[in-house]
Amino acid sequence: MRRDVRQDIKTLQVEIINDESKIIEYMHQGQYDLVKKCLSRIESDLKYLSIIANGAPIDKSEDRKIMDFLRVHYENIRNLSLPI
């Protein structure tokens, strides 16, 4: 796999994790508009990561790690809900 594709995957994973941390902080502060923005950005990044991973020539172990990452973080955004 090309180095830039690997770097794109790693960058997206780091951004997703950072945004999840920001969401928790924003929820404690009651900044729900920022929570919504982060959730939207995470969802977009997860979709983009999925597209990159599906098109990248990667071995099965790397593919499995990425799919596990996607599963875990889709579950995280589902669990990070806003109060009504």
Side-chain angles (χ1 to χ4, degrees):
M1 177 169 45
R2 292 186 353 232
R3 171 77 175 127
D4 55 332
V5 173
R6 259 199 187 103
Q7 188 58 45
D8 287 347
I9 290 170
K10 186 56 101 179
T11 299
L12 283 168
Q13 290 175 329
V14 168
E15 287 176 4
I16 290 165
I17 292 168
N18 288 341
D19 277 342
E20 286 176 345
S21 295
K22 289 178 187 176
I23 286 172
I24 294 167
E25 180 182 325
Y26 293 151
M27 288 180 85
H28 287 298
Q29 297 171 356
Q31 297 178 328
Y32 301 117
D33 56 329
L34 295 175
V35 171
K36 289 179 185 178
K37 286 181 184 179
C38 282
L39 284 171
S40 177
R41 191 169 47 238
I42 289 172
E43 191 169 2
S44 176
D45 285 348
L46 285 169
K47 287 178 184 176
Y48 185 53
L49 178 58
S50 178
I51 291 168
I52 290 174
N54 285 325
I58 54 179
D59 62 44
K60 288 184 180 185
S61 66
E62 284 180 296
D63 183 52
R64 187 71 191 147
K65 289 178 188 176
I66 294 169
M67 292 305 128
D68 287 344
F69 181 90
L70 289 168
R71 182 184 47 78
V72 166
H73 293 279
Y74 268 118
E75 183 70 24
N76 286 351
I77 64 169
R78 192 169 46 228
N79 291 333
L80 291 171
S81 61
L82 292 174
I84 299 174

